[in-house]
Amino acid sequence: MEMLLSPKTATGKAWLLFGERNRSKDRHFAQDLEKWQARGVIAKINMAFSRDIEIHRYVQDLIAPNAADLREWVSRGAYIFVCGRLQGMAQGVDRELERALGANVLQKLRDENRYRRDVY
């Protein structure tokens, strides 16, 4: 799979909030992600696996505990990309982003094309 923006051409820091079902089976591109983090291409990685524990933890659950960092990144010009399922995940991410950033900031990100979604 060819990446749209390769680690060789990336110009800013990246932060990945990743959600899947099982850590043992669903750590897609894990070796690449770890290598890119070690090289400093990805500054931060947070992962949630919804079927690994009794209390299900989803990607949207990663936003509130990282809200201060998220606000800082957005203030420095960060873009937010959401990819995945429309029902549940994307709705939950929208809700948590609005709580963390405020409705006005989230709308500004949309208006500036800094909040992009590829959801299905």
Side-chain angles (χ1 to χ4, degrees):
M1 173 183 224
E2 185 175 333
M3 309 254 331
L4 184 60
L5 180 63
S6 77
K8 294 177 184 175
T9 61
T11 58
K13 291 182 179 180
W15 174 7
L16 175 65
L17 290 102
F18 177 87
E20 258 296 352
R21 290 176 181 239
N22 302 97
R23 179 181 297 276
S24 63
K25 294 186 254 179
D26 297 321
R27 289 189 64 224
H28 310 294
F29 307 105
Q31 291 177 337
D32 289 329
L33 293 173
E34 290 167 5
K35 180 173 50 175
W36 294 338
Q37 188 174 24
R39 288 187 195 159
V41 174
I42 296 177
K44 189 172 177 177
I45 298 174
N46 296 98
M47 295 187 173
F49 296 94
S50 62
R51 303 296 186 264
D52 281 355
I53 55 175
E54 288 182 26
I55 300 171
H56 300 298
R57 187 165 181 200
Y58 300 95
V59 70
Q60 57 265 34
D61 297 328
L62 299 172
I63 296 172
N66 291 286
D69 286 345
L70 181 61
R71 286 188 293 273
E72 180 184 335
W73 280 57
V74 166
S75 74
R76 290 187 286 142
Y79 285 66
I80 298 172
F81 298 93
V82 177
C83 303
R85 188 176 171 141
L86 174 63
Q87 299 300 320
M89 186 280 298
Q91 294 168 332
V93 168
D94 272 348
R95 182 179 57 250
E96 292 303 317
L97 285 173
E98 187 170 320
R99 285 182 184 154
L101 300 173
N104 292 339
V105 171
L106 192 57
Q107 186 58 50
K108 182 178 180 195
L109 291 173
R110 285 185 182 107
D111 294 343
E112 295 174 351
N113 285 321
R114 290 174 48 206
Y115 179 42
R116 306 295 301 268
R117 295 172 12 130
D118 180 10
V119 296
Y120 46 88

